[in-house]
Amino acid sequence: MHVLGGLDHVAAVLDNVRADAVVVSSASETAAVYLRELAWKLEGTNIELLVVPGLIEVAPDRLQIRPTVSVPLIQVREPEFRGLRRVAKSAVDRSAAALLLLLGSPLLLVLAVLVKRSSAGPVFYRHRRIGKRGHEFNLLKFRSMVTGADRQLESLVTFSDGNDVQFKMRQDPRITGIGAFLRRCSLDELPQLINVLKGDMSLVGPRPHVTREVEQYGDDMHRRLLVKPGITGLWQVSGRSDLSWDESVELDVRYVENWSLGRDLGILWKTFRAVVRGSGAY
């Protein structure tokens, strides 16, 4: 970082660069006294004074200022993993899944026929995943690969385009013709509405991982198992398969800690835009 001046010359530096705001990130013992003196110096300058509270990945609606006689305190409210808001989320999930399955039944039927005619094998692909509190369930997808694709995985590991933990290939030879189209448009994920209706998944949440991936979780990553996995989530609208494992972890934990129905609606809207663009889908 380029140093513009010392602490004793802040007012002059801010005036020289015509600043609109100053952010104080110091956590030293003298920070409180310095902040008060700095606030006095900035009076009448229309320069905002912003202070870093030393918190990460905490949404503003979980913070509340609690005044005391001498200093204001910041209260950090606990994330909500139960209660009325969770009941409302579950009700919205199942109602929306039922409605989408009903309205989308003609499309689902057409896709099922195309998958069946593309190659020998079942219409649906069932994959064992880890859900809320470590509960295992069968995740449903339209089959987008040839039958027996799992047995070919070991020979393709060295060609992975994914992150350090998850296997992904931009040009996977196991994918069928109709499968490539389904993946590009994310239509292969539609059967997961059945998982949502059954209560195994949510419309929005961290994507469910397989046992091999869960075994590599750190302490922070285990936070994602406190909620139901989702068809879409924060990392799906932030880069999808192009993200590193650490970036995916950070986004999943951020969602779990700060979820709300309003944010879920925002993620669903961004998911629609990401699917239309096809960004990060392979």
Side-chain angles (χ1 to χ4, degrees), residues 100-150:
L100 290 172
L101 285 170
L102 180 62
L103 296 178
S105 56
L107 173 62
L108 294 172
L109 181 60
V110 170
L111 294 178
V113 172
L114 291 175
V115 170
K116 189 65 178 178
R117 296 182 61 182
S118 65
S119 62
V123 170
F124 295 116
Y125 173 68
R126 292 172 171 83
H127 202 200
R128 204 70 175 164
R129 299 293 181 96
I130 307 298
K132 182 178 179 181
R133 306 289 181 182
H135 167 70
E136 293 189 5
F137 69 98
N138 286 321
L139 178 138
L140 295 176
K141 287 187 175 185
F142 279 124
R143 181 174 57 84
S144 60
M145 294 185 175
V146 297
T147 303
D150 289 343

mmCIF file of all heavy atoms in Angstrom, residues 100-150:
data_model
loop_
_atom_site.group_PDB
_atom_site.id
_atom_site.type_symbol
_atom_site.label_atom_id
_atom_site.label_comp_id
_atom_site.label_asym_id
_atom_site.label_seq_id
_atom_site.Cartn_x
_atom_site.Cartn_y
_atom_site.Cartn_z
ATOM 1 N N LEU A 100 -44.026 -25.838 -9.613
ATOM 2 C CA LEU A 100 -43.129 -25.923 -10.769
ATOM 3 C C LEU A 100 -43.188 -27.302 -11.422
ATOM 4 O O LEU A 100 -43.121 -27.421 -12.654
ATOM 5 C CB LEU A 100 -41.696 -25.601 -10.334
ATOM 6 C CG LEU A 100 -41.426 -24.145 -9.956
ATOM 7 C CD1 LEU A 100 -40.036 -23.991 -9.361
ATOM 8 C CD2 LEU A 100 -41.585 -23.232 -11.171
ATOM 9 N N LEU A 101 -43.308 -28.346 -10.613
ATOM 10 C CA LEU A 101 -43.429 -29.692 -11.177
ATOM 11 C C LEU A 101 -44.726 -29.842 -11.964
ATOM 12 O O LEU A 101 -44.749 -30.471 -13.029
ATOM 13 C CB LEU A 101 -43.374 -30.736 -10.062
ATOM 14 C CG LEU A 101 -41.995 -31.017 -9.456
ATOM 15 C CD1 LEU A 101 -42.125 -31.885 -8.202
ATOM 16 C CD2 LEU A 101 -41.098 -31.714 -10.480
ATOM 17 N N LEU A 102 -45.790 -29.239 -11.452
ATOM 18 C CA LEU A 102 -47.087 -29.310 -12.137
ATOM 19 C C LEU A 102 -47.052 -28.538 -13.454
ATOM 20 O O LEU A 102 -47.426 -29.061 -14.513
ATOM 21 C CB LEU A 102 -48.182 -28.767 -11.225
ATOM 22 C CG LEU A 102 -49.606 -28.768 -11.796
ATOM 23 C CD1 LEU A 102 -50.056 -30.194 -12.095
ATOM 24 C CD2 LEU A 102 -50.581 -28.090 -10.833
ATOM 25 N N LEU A 103 -46.582 -27.296 -13.402
ATOM 26 C CA LEU A 103 -46.561 -26.464 -14.599
ATOM 27 C C LEU A 103 -45.515 -26.950 -15.611
ATOM 28 O O LEU A 103 -45.695 -26.796 -16.818
ATOM 29 C CB LEU A 103 -46.263 -25.007 -14.216
ATOM 30 C CG LEU A 103 -47.304 -24.307 -13.336
ATOM 31 C CD1 LEU A 103 -46.860 -22.892 -13.008
ATOM 32 C CD2 LEU A 103 -48.662 -24.284 -14.027
ATOM 33 N N GLY A 104 -44.413 -27.515 -15.092
ATOM 34 C CA GLY A 104 -43.342 -27.939 -15.982
ATOM 35 C C GLY A 104 -43.420 -29.388 -16.416
ATOM 36 O O GLY A 104 -42.498 -29.873 -17.087
ATOM 37 N N SER A 105 -44.509 -30.075 -16.064
ATOM 38 C CA SER A 105 -44.616 -31.496 -16.400
ATOM 39 C C SER A 105 -44.496 -31.779 -17.900
ATOM 40 O O SER A 105 -43.854 -32.770 -18.287
ATOM 41 C CB SER A 105 -45.918 -32.073 -15.834
ATOM 42 O OG SER A 105 -47.036 -31.337 -16.288
ATOM 43 N N PRO A 106 -45.075 -30.949 -18.811
ATOM 44 C CA PRO A 106 -44.876 -31.223 -20.246
ATOM 45 C C PRO A 106 -43.401 -31.153 -20.652
ATOM 46 O O PRO A 106 -42.919 -32.007 -21.406
ATOM 47 C CB PRO A 106 -45.697 -30.117 -20.927
ATOM 48 C CG PRO A 106 -46.731 -29.728 -19.921
ATOM 49 C CD PRO A 106 -46.048 -29.849 -18.602
ATOM 50 N N LEU A 107 -42.673 -30.153 -20.148
ATOM 51 C CA LEU A 107 -41.248 -30.029 -20.454
ATOM 52 C C LEU A 107 -40.473 -31.207 -19.884
ATOM 53 O O LEU A 107 -39.590 -31.777 -20.557
ATOM 54 C CB LEU A 107 -40.698 -28.723 -19.882
ATOM 55 C CG LEU A 107 -39.180 -28.520 -19.970
ATOM 56 C CD1 LEU A 107 -38.730 -28.502 -21.426
ATOM 57 C CD2 LEU A 107 -38.760 -27.240 -19.257
ATOM 58 N N LEU A 108 -40.778 -31.603 -18.656
ATOM 59 C CA LEU A 108 -40.093 -32.727 -18.034
ATOM 60 C C LEU A 108 -40.317 -34.008 -18.821
ATOM 61 O O LEU A 108 -39.396 -34.829 -18.978
ATOM 62 C CB LEU A 108 -40.582 -32.901 -16.586
ATOM 63 C CG LEU A 108 -40.232 -31.775 -15.611
ATOM 64 C CD1 LEU A 108 -40.937 -31.994 -14.279
ATOM 65 C CD2 LEU A 108 -38.734 -31.707 -15.383
ATOM 66 N N LEU A 109 -41.525 -34.186 -19.339
ATOM 67 C CA LEU A 109 -41.846 -35.381 -20.134
ATOM 68 C C LEU A 109 -41.043 -35.398 -21.429
ATOM 69 O O LEU A 109 -40.475 -36.424 -21.820
ATOM 70 C CB LEU A 109 -43.346 -35.426 -20.427
ATOM 71 C CG LEU A 109 -43.835 -36.637 -21.239
ATOM 72 C CD1 LEU A 109 -43.507 -37.927 -20.489
ATOM 73 C CD2 LEU A 109 -45.333 -36.535 -21.503
ATOM 74 N N VAL A 110 -40.960 -34.250 -22.091
ATOM 75 C CA VAL A 110 -40.188 -34.156 -23.334
ATOM 76 C C VAL A 110 -38.715 -34.446 -23.080
ATOM 77 O O VAL A 110 -38.066 -35.204 -23.828
ATOM 78 C CB VAL A 110 -40.357 -32.753 -23.968
ATOM 79 C CG1 VAL A 110 -39.373 -32.571 -25.125
ATOM 80 C CG2 VAL A 110 -41.783 -32.558 -24.459
ATOM 81 N N LEU A 111 -38.162 -33.867 -22.022
ATOM 82 C CA LEU A 111 -36.756 -34.092 -21.699
ATOM 83 C C LEU A 111 -36.494 -35.551 -21.351
ATOM 84 O O LEU A 111 -35.453 -36.111 -21.720
ATOM 85 C CB LEU A 111 -36.337 -33.192 -20.537
ATOM 86 C CG LEU A 111 -36.339 -31.683 -20.803
ATOM 87 C CD1 LEU A 111 -35.947 -30.917 -19.541
ATOM 88 C CD2 LEU A 111 -35.393 -31.325 -21.943
ATOM 89 N N ALA A 112 -37.437 -36.174 -20.654
ATOM 90 C CA ALA A 112 -37.285 -37.586 -20.302
ATOM 91 C C ALA A 112 -37.221 -38.455 -21.555
ATOM 92 O O ALA A 112 -36.408 -39.385 -21.646
ATOM 93 C CB ALA A 112 -38.430 -38.026 -19.397
ATOM 94 N N VAL A 113 -38.072 -38.163 -22.534
ATOM 95 C CA VAL A 113 -38.071 -38.920 -23.794
ATOM 96 C C VAL A 113 -36.753 -38.732 -24.536
ATOM 97 O O VAL A 113 -36.166 -39.684 -25.050
ATOM 98 C CB VAL A 113 -39.259 -38.486 -24.670
ATOM 99 C CG1 VAL A 113 -39.152 -39.125 -26.067
ATOM 100 C CG2 VAL A 113 -40.581 -38.880 -24.020
ATOM 101 N N LEU A 114 -36.252 -37.490 -24.582
ATOM 102 C CA LEU A 114 -34.996 -37.206 -25.277
ATOM 103 C C LEU A 114 -33.824 -37.927 -24.609
ATOM 104 O O LEU A 114 -32.938 -38.458 -25.295
ATOM 105 C CB LEU A 114 -34.736 -35.692 -25.284
ATOM 106 C CG LEU A 114 -35.686 -34.849 -26.144
ATOM 107 C CD1 LEU A 114 -35.377 -33.363 -25.964
ATOM 108 C CD2 LEU A 114 -35.578 -35.247 -27.614
ATOM 109 N N VAL A 115 -33.808 -37.946 -23.281
ATOM 110 C CA VAL A 115 -32.739 -38.643 -22.562
ATOM 111 C C VAL A 115 -32.797 -40.145 -22.835
ATOM 112 O O VAL A 115 -31.766 -40.794 -23.076
ATOM 113 C CB VAL A 115 -32.836 -38.375 -21.043
ATOM 114 C CG1 VAL A 115 -31.876 -39.280 -20.272
ATOM 115 C CG2 VAL A 115 -32.540 -36.917 -20.733
ATOM 116 N N LYS A 116 -33.997 -40.694 -22.822
ATOM 117 C CA LYS A 116 -34.171 -42.129 -23.048
ATOM 118 C C LYS A 116 -33.724 -42.519 -24.446
ATOM 119 O O LYS A 116 -33.120 -43.589 -24.648
ATOM 120 C CB LYS A 116 -35.640 -42.510 -22.825
ATOM 121 C CG LYS A 116 -35.891 -44.005 -22.815
ATOM 122 C CD LYS A 116 -35.201 -44.673 -21.640
ATOM 123 C CE LYS A 116 -35.477 -46.167 -21.583
ATOM 124 N NZ LYS A 116 -34.769 -46.826 -20.474
ATOM 125 N N ARG A 117 -33.988 -41.665 -25.431
ATOM 126 C CA ARG A 117 -33.638 -41.979 -26.815
ATOM 127 C C ARG A 117 -32.176 -41.690 -27.134
ATOM 128 O O ARG A 117 -31.649 -42.173 -28.137
ATOM 129 C CB ARG A 117 -34.534 -41.179 -27.772
ATOM 130 C CG ARG A 117 -36.009 -41.536 -27.688
ATOM 131 C CD ARG A 117 -36.823 -40.749 -28.681
ATOM 132 N NE ARG A 117 -36.404 -41.011 -30.061
ATOM 133 C CZ ARG A 117 -36.942 -40.413 -31.130
ATOM 134 N NH1 ARG A 117 -37.909 -39.523 -30.959
ATOM 135 N NH2 ARG A 117 -36.506 -40.703 -32.339
ATOM 136 N N SER A 118 -31.494 -40.909 -26.286
ATOM 137 C CA SER A 118 -30.113 -40.501 -26.577
ATOM 138 C C SER A 118 -29.121 -41.651 -26.446
ATOM 139 O O SER A 118 -28.163 -41.749 -27.207
ATOM 140 C CB SER A 118 -29.690 -39.348 -25.667
ATOM 141 O OG SER A 118 -29.646 -39.781 -24.307
ATOM 142 N N SER A 119 -29.340 -42.515 -25.450
ATOM 143 C CA SER A 119 -28.443 -43.649 -25.222
ATOM 144 C C SER A 119 -29.121 -44.628 -24.274
ATOM 145 O O SER A 119 -30.100 -44.288 -23.599
ATOM 146 C CB SER A 119 -27.111 -43.172 -24.626
ATOM 147 O OG SER A 119 -27.321 -42.565 -23.367
ATOM 148 N N ALA A 120 -28.589 -45.848 -24.249
ATOM 149 C CA ALA A 120 -29.159 -46.863 -23.374
ATOM 150 C C ALA A 120 -28.942 -46.493 -21.913
ATOM 151 O O ALA A 120 -27.880 -45.994 -21.541
ATOM 152 C CB ALA A 120 -28.526 -48.218 -23.672
ATOM 153 N N GLY A 121 -29.958 -46.737 -21.107
ATOM 154 C CA GLY A 121 -29.836 -46.457 -19.692
ATOM 155 C C GLY A 121 -31.082 -45.800 -19.134
ATOM 156 O O GLY A 121 -32.018 -45.465 -19.877
ATOM 157 N N PRO A 122 -31.127 -45.572 -17.817
ATOM 158 C CA PRO A 122 -32.306 -44.964 -17.180
ATOM 159 C C PRO A 122 -32.421 -43.479 -17.511
ATOM 160 O O PRO A 122 -31.459 -42.847 -17.941
ATOM 161 C CB PRO A 122 -32.039 -45.176 -15.693
ATOM 162 C CG PRO A 122 -30.541 -45.226 -15.590
ATOM 163 C CD PRO A 122 -30.071 -45.901 -16.845
ATOM 164 N N VAL A 123 -33.607 -42.938 -17.301
ATOM 165 C CA VAL A 123 -33.836 -41.508 -17.536
ATOM 166 C C VAL A 123 -33.179 -40.677 -16.439
ATOM 167 O O VAL A 123 -32.540 -39.664 -16.716
ATOM 168 C CB VAL A 123 -35.348 -41.210 -17.597
ATOM 169 C CG1 VAL A 123 -35.598 -39.695 -17.600
ATOM 170 C CG2 VAL A 123 -35.967 -41.854 -18.816
ATOM 171 N N PHE A 124 -33.327 -41.136 -15.199
ATOM 172 C CA PHE A 124 -32.796 -40.382 -14.065
ATOM 173 C C PHE A 124 -31.466 -40.965 -13.588
ATOM 174 O O PHE A 124 -31.226 -42.177 -13.660
ATOM 175 C CB PHE A 124 -33.782 -40.379 -12.896
ATOM 176 C CG PHE A 124 -35.070 -39.671 -13.184
ATOM 177 C CD1 PHE A 124 -36.269 -40.361 -13.189
ATOM 178 C CD2 PHE A 124 -35.086 -38.310 -13.452
ATOM 179 C CE1 PHE A 124 -37.456 -39.706 -13.453
ATOM 180 C CE2 PHE A 124 -36.268 -37.649 -13.714
ATOM 181 C CZ PHE A 124 -37.450 -38.355 -13.721
ATOM 182 N N TYR A 125 -30.612 -40.080 -13.121
ATOM 183 C CA TYR A 125 -29.352 -40.475 -12.502
ATOM 184 C C TYR A 125 -29.480 -40.189 -11.013
ATOM 185 O O TYR A 125 -29.780 -39.055 -10.612
ATOM 186 C CB TYR A 125 -28.196 -39.676 -13.101
ATOM 187 C CG TYR A 125 -26.875 -39.902 -12.416
ATOM 188 C CD1 TYR A 125 -26.221 -41.126 -12.501
ATOM 189 C CD2 TYR A 125 -26.275 -38.880 -11.672
ATOM 190 C CE1 TYR A 125 -24.995 -41.339 -11.873
ATOM 191 C CE2 TYR A 125 -25.053 -39.081 -11.040
ATOM 192 C CZ TYR A 125 -24.422 -40.307 -11.139
ATOM 193 O OH TYR A 125 -23.224 -40.510 -10.518
ATOM 194 N N ARG A 126 -29.287 -41.210 -10.209
ATOM 195 C CA ARG A 126 -29.364 -41.071 -8.749
ATOM 196 C C ARG A 126 -27.962 -41.098 -8.164
ATOM 197 O O ARG A 126 -27.210 -42.050 -8.398
ATOM 198 C CB ARG A 126 -30.220 -42.189 -8.146
ATOM 199 C CG ARG A 126 -31.701 -42.079 -8.505
ATOM 200 C CD ARG A 126 -32.473 -43.304 -8.044
ATOM 201 N NE ARG A 126 -33.902 -43.119 -8.192
ATOM 202 C CZ ARG A 126 -34.568 -43.306 -9.326
ATOM 203 N NH1 ARG A 126 -33.905 -43.663 -10.421
ATOM 204 N NH2 ARG A 126 -35.868 -43.116 -9.382
ATOM 205 N N HIS A 127 -27.629 -40.065 -7.415
ATOM 206 C CA HIS A 127 -26.291 -39.940 -6.861
ATOM 207 C C HIS A 127 -26.396 -39.717 -5.360
ATOM 208 O O HIS A 127 -27.134 -38.837 -4.907
ATOM 209 C CB HIS A 127 -25.538 -38.778 -7.505
ATOM 210 C CG HIS A 127 -24.057 -38.892 -7.389
ATOM 211 N ND1 HIS A 127 -23.202 -37.818 -7.515
ATOM 212 C CD2 HIS A 127 -23.265 -39.970 -7.156
ATOM 213 C CE1 HIS A 127 -21.955 -38.233 -7.377
ATOM 214 N NE2 HIS A 127 -21.963 -39.518 -7.155
ATOM 215 N N ARG A 128 -25.656 -40.502 -4.585
ATOM 216 C CA ARG A 128 -25.701 -40.399 -3.124
ATOM 217 C C ARG A 128 -24.989 -39.129 -2.684
ATOM 218 O O ARG A 128 -23.816 -38.909 -2.996
ATOM 219 C CB ARG A 128 -25.029 -41.619 -2.496
ATOM 220 C CG ARG A 128 -25.488 -41.915 -1.075
ATOM 221 C CD ARG A 128 -26.907 -42.406 -1.052
ATOM 222 N NE ARG A 128 -27.335 -42.810 0.292
ATOM 223 C CZ ARG A 128 -28.595 -42.990 0.626
ATOM 224 N NH1 ARG A 128 -29.550 -42.804 -0.260
ATOM 225 N NH2 ARG A 128 -28.907 -43.365 1.847
ATOM 226 N N ARG A 129 -25.688 -38.270 -1.957
ATOM 227 C CA ARG A 129 -25.119 -37.015 -1.475
ATOM 228 C C ARG A 129 -25.348 -36.870 0.020
ATOM 229 O O ARG A 129 -26.177 -37.572 0.616
ATOM 230 C CB ARG A 129 -25.753 -35.822 -2.207
ATOM 231 C CG ARG A 129 -25.532 -35.802 -3.715
ATOM 232 C CD ARG A 129 -24.099 -35.574 -4.086
ATOM 233 N NE ARG A 129 -23.902 -35.535 -5.529
ATOM 234 C CZ ARG A 129 -23.854 -34.425 -6.250
ATOM 235 N NH1 ARG A 129 -23.995 -33.241 -5.647
ATOM 236 N NH2 ARG A 129 -23.671 -34.479 -7.549
ATOM 237 N N ILE A 130 -24.619 -35.937 0.614
ATOM 238 C CA ILE A 130 -24.727 -35.652 2.044
ATOM 239 C C ILE A 130 -25.526 -34.366 2.234
ATOM 240 O O ILE A 130 -25.188 -33.332 1.659
ATOM 241 C CB ILE A 130 -23.346 -35.497 2.703
ATOM 242 C CG1 ILE A 130 -22.469 -36.709 2.389
ATOM 243 C CG2 ILE A 130 -23.493 -35.305 4.208
ATOM 244 C CD1 ILE A 130 -23.016 -38.005 2.913
ATOM 245 N N GLY A 131 -26.589 -34.433 3.041
ATOM 246 C CA GLY A 131 -27.450 -33.277 3.251
ATOM 247 C C GLY A 131 -27.347 -32.718 4.662
ATOM 248 O O GLY A 131 -26.310 -32.824 5.322
ATOM 249 N N LYS A 132 -28.431 -32.141 5.122
ATOM 250 C CA LYS A 132 -28.471 -31.484 6.424
ATOM 251 C C LYS A 132 -28.128 -32.464 7.538
ATOM 252 O O LYS A 132 -28.600 -33.597 7.568
ATOM 253 C CB LYS A 132 -29.871 -30.884 6.652
ATOM 254 C CG LYS A 132 -30.018 -30.122 7.955
ATOM 255 C CD LYS A 132 -31.424 -29.535 8.076
ATOM 256 C CE LYS A 132 -31.592 -28.774 9.396
ATOM 257 N NZ LYS A 132 -32.970 -28.215 9.521
ATOM 258 N N ARG A 133 -27.265 -32.011 8.469
ATOM 259 C CA ARG A 133 -26.829 -32.791 9.629
ATOM 260 C C ARG A 133 -26.180 -34.120 9.222
ATOM 261 O O ARG A 133 -26.194 -35.083 10.001
ATOM 262 C CB ARG A 133 -28.015 -33.068 10.555
ATOM 263 C CG ARG A 133 -28.783 -31.828 10.998
ATOM 264 C CD ARG A 133 -28.012 -30.989 11.973
ATOM 265 N NE ARG A 133 -28.770 -29.815 12.418
ATOM 266 C CZ ARG A 133 -28.305 -28.894 13.239
ATOM 267 N NH1 ARG A 133 -27.079 -29.001 13.716
ATOM 268 N NH2 ARG A 133 -29.046 -27.843 13.587
ATOM 269 N N GLY A 134 -25.623 -34.190 8.009
ATOM 270 C CA GLY A 134 -24.958 -35.413 7.564
ATOM 271 C C GLY A 134 -25.888 -36.472 7.028
ATOM 272 O O GLY A 134 -25.460 -37.599 6.754
ATOM 273 N N HIS A 135 -27.177 -36.144 6.864
ATOM 274 C CA HIS A 135 -28.154 -37.103 6.355
ATOM 275 C C HIS A 135 -27.881 -37.404 4.884
ATOM 276 O O HIS A 135 -27.720 -36.506 4.064
ATOM 277 C CB HIS A 135 -29.568 -36.517 6.516
ATOM 278 C CG HIS A 135 -30.624 -37.258 5.760
ATOM 279 N ND1 HIS A 135 -31.059 -38.512 6.101
ATOM 280 C CD2 HIS A 135 -31.331 -36.911 4.643
ATOM 281 C CE1 HIS A 135 -31.989 -38.905 5.255
ATOM 282 N NE2 HIS A 135 -32.171 -37.963 4.356
ATOM 283 N N GLU A 136 -27.825 -38.682 4.522
ATOM 284 C CA GLU A 136 -27.591 -39.094 3.144
ATOM 285 C C GLU A 136 -28.920 -39.215 2.394
ATOM 286 O O GLU A 136 -29.929 -39.635 2.951
ATOM 287 C CB GLU A 136 -26.849 -40.430 3.095
ATOM 288 C CG GLU A 136 -25.424 -40.366 3.617
ATOM 289 C CD GLU A 136 -24.670 -41.647 3.357
ATOM 290 O OE1 GLU A 136 -25.223 -42.550 2.695
ATOM 291 O OE2 GLU A 136 -23.511 -41.764 3.797
ATOM 292 N N PHE A 137 -28.892 -38.838 1.132
ATOM 293 C CA PHE A 137 -30.084 -38.971 0.297
ATOM 294 C C PHE A 137 -29.656 -39.148 -1.153
ATOM 295 O O PHE A 137 -28.502 -38.893 -1.516
ATOM 296 C CB PHE A 137 -30.995 -37.744 0.452
ATOM 297 C CG PHE A 137 -30.420 -36.480 -0.142
ATOM 298 C CD1 PHE A 137 -30.806 -36.045 -1.409
ATOM 299 C CD2 PHE A 137 -29.496 -35.716 0.558
ATOM 300 C CE1 PHE A 137 -30.276 -34.884 -1.960
ATOM 301 C CE2 PHE A 137 -28.960 -34.553 0.020
ATOM 302 C CZ PHE A 137 -29.355 -34.141 -1.233
ATOM 303 N N ASN A 138 -30.588 -39.592 -1.983
ATOM 304 C CA ASN A 138 -30.330 -39.778 -3.406
ATOM 305 C C ASN A 138 -30.725 -38.521 -4.171
ATOM 306 O O ASN A 138 -31.909 -38.190 -4.277
ATOM 307 C CB ASN A 138 -31.106 -40.984 -3.948
ATOM 308 C CG ASN A 138 -30.507 -42.304 -3.510
ATOM 309 O OD1 ASN A 138 -29.284 -42.446 -3.453
ATOM 310 N ND2 ASN A 138 -31.352 -43.263 -3.177
ATOM 311 N N LEU A 139 -29.741 -37.806 -4.699
ATOM 312 C CA LEU A 139 -29.996 -36.623 -5.506
ATOM 313 C C LEU A 139 -30.385 -37.061 -6.913
ATOM 314 O O LEU A 139 -29.747 -37.937 -7.502
ATOM 315 C CB LEU A 139 -28.754 -35.740 -5.541
ATOM 316 C CG LEU A 139 -28.837 -34.463 -6.385
ATOM 317 C CD1 LEU A 139 -28.200 -33.305 -5.639
ATOM 318 C CD2 LEU A 139 -28.125 -34.655 -7.722
ATOM 319 N N LEU A 140 -31.438 -36.450 -7.455
ATOM 320 C CA LEU A 140 -31.948 -36.818 -8.770
ATOM 321 C C LEU A 140 -31.508 -35.829 -9.838
ATOM 322 O O LEU A 140 -31.513 -34.613 -9.616
ATOM 323 C CB LEU A 140 -33.477 -36.879 -8.747
ATOM 324 C CG LEU A 140 -34.117 -37.951 -7.857
ATOM 325 C CD1 LEU A 140 -35.634 -37.800 -7.876
ATOM 326 C CD2 LEU A 140 -33.717 -39.339 -8.324
ATOM 327 N N LYS A 141 -31.127 -36.362 -10.987
ATOM 328 C CA LYS A 141 -30.821 -35.549 -12.162
ATOM 329 C C LYS A 141 -31.301 -36.292 -13.401
ATOM 330 O O LYS A 141 -31.441 -37.514 -13.384
ATOM 331 C CB LYS A 141 -29.311 -35.313 -12.303
ATOM 332 C CG LYS A 141 -28.684 -34.351 -11.325
ATOM 333 C CD LYS A 141 -27.229 -34.115 -11.711
ATOM 334 C CE LYS A 141 -26.578 -33.065 -10.827
ATOM 335 N NZ LYS A 141 -25.193 -32.760 -11.285
ATOM 336 N N PHE A 142 -31.536 -35.553 -14.476
ATOM 337 C CA PHE A 142 -31.675 -36.215 -15.758
ATOM 338 C C PHE A 142 -30.299 -36.758 -16.139
ATOM 339 O O PHE A 142 -29.296 -36.059 -16.017
ATOM 340 C CB PHE A 142 -32.165 -35.249 -16.840
ATOM 341 C CG PHE A 142 -33.640 -35.022 -16.834
ATOM 342 C CD1 PHE A 142 -34.166 -33.740 -16.735
ATOM 343 C CD2 PHE A 142 -34.526 -36.088 -16.939
ATOM 344 C CE1 PHE A 142 -35.527 -33.526 -16.740
ATOM 345 C CE2 PHE A 142 -35.896 -35.882 -16.935
ATOM 346 C CZ PHE A 142 -36.397 -34.601 -16.836
ATOM 347 N N ARG A 143 -30.234 -38.007 -16.589
ATOM 348 C CA ARG A 143 -28.952 -38.606 -16.942
ATOM 349 C C ARG A 143 -28.358 -37.865 -18.136
ATOM 350 O O ARG A 143 -28.972 -37.770 -19.189
ATOM 351 C CB ARG A 143 -29.142 -40.088 -17.278
ATOM 352 C CG ARG A 143 -27.837 -40.812 -17.628
ATOM 353 C CD ARG A 143 -28.078 -42.306 -17.802
ATOM 354 N NE ARG A 143 -29.084 -42.561 -18.830
ATOM 355 C CZ ARG A 143 -28.812 -42.618 -20.135
ATOM 356 N NH1 ARG A 143 -27.577 -42.432 -20.571
ATOM 357 N NH2 ARG A 143 -29.785 -42.859 -21.000
ATOM 358 N N SER A 144 -27.146 -37.345 -17.960
ATOM 359 C CA SER A 144 -26.477 -36.591 -19.016
ATOM 360 C C SER A 144 -25.230 -37.293 -19.531
ATOM 361 O O SER A 144 -24.546 -36.767 -20.416
ATOM 362 C CB SER A 144 -26.102 -35.188 -18.514
ATOM 363 O OG SER A 144 -25.226 -35.276 -17.403
ATOM 364 N N MET A 145 -24.922 -38.475 -18.974
ATOM 365 C CA MET A 145 -23.744 -39.239 -19.384
ATOM 366 C C MET A 145 -24.143 -40.639 -19.822
ATOM 367 O O MET A 145 -25.264 -41.094 -19.574
ATOM 368 C CB MET A 145 -22.734 -39.323 -18.238
ATOM 369 C CG MET A 145 -22.100 -38.008 -17.841
ATOM 370 S SD MET A 145 -20.816 -38.251 -16.583
ATOM 371 C CE MET A 145 -20.175 -36.587 -16.448
ATOM 372 N N VAL A 146 -23.196 -41.311 -20.435
ATOM 373 C CA VAL A 146 -23.431 -42.693 -20.837
ATOM 374 C C VAL A 146 -23.525 -43.565 -19.592
ATOM 375 O O VAL A 146 -23.016 -43.213 -18.516
ATOM 376 C CB VAL A 146 -22.294 -43.195 -21.752
ATOM 377 C CG1 VAL A 146 -22.254 -42.395 -23.040
ATOM 378 C CG2 VAL A 146 -20.952 -43.114 -21.040
ATOM 379 N N THR A 147 -24.182 -44.706 -19.719
ATOM 380 C CA THR A 147 -24.292 -45.637 -18.608
ATOM 381 C C THR A 147 -22.901 -46.141 -18.209
ATOM 382 O O THR A 147 -22.076 -46.459 -19.066
ATOM 383 C CB THR A 147 -25.176 -46.833 -18.996
ATOM 384 O OG1 THR A 147 -26.464 -46.343 -19.410
ATOM 385 C CG2 THR A 147 -25.360 -47.772 -17.822
ATOM 386 N N GLY A 148 -22.659 -46.204 -16.897
ATOM 387 C CA GLY A 148 -21.353 -46.655 -16.410
ATOM 388 C C GLY A 148 -20.301 -45.567 -16.382
ATOM 389 O O GLY A 148 -19.100 -45.858 -16.269
ATOM 390 N N ALA A 149 -20.720 -44.309 -16.460
ATOM 391 C CA ALA A 149 -19.760 -43.193 -16.478
ATOM 392 C C ALA A 149 -18.931 -43.130 -15.202
ATOM 393 O O ALA A 149 -17.760 -42.742 -15.230
ATOM 394 C CB ALA A 149 -20.507 -41.879 -16.685
ATOM 395 N N ASP A 150 -19.513 -43.521 -14.069
ATOM 396 C CA ASP A 150 -18.792 -43.463 -12.796
ATOM 397 C C ASP A 150 -17.550 -44.355 -12.812
ATOM 398 O O ASP A 150 -16.533 -44.032 -12.187
ATOM 399 C CB ASP A 150 -19.712 -43.877 -11.645
ATOM 400 C CG ASP A 150 -20.779 -42.837 -11.355
ATOM 401 O OD1 ASP A 150 -20.614 -41.689 -11.803
ATOM 402 O OD2 ASP A 150 -21.781 -43.172 -10.699
#
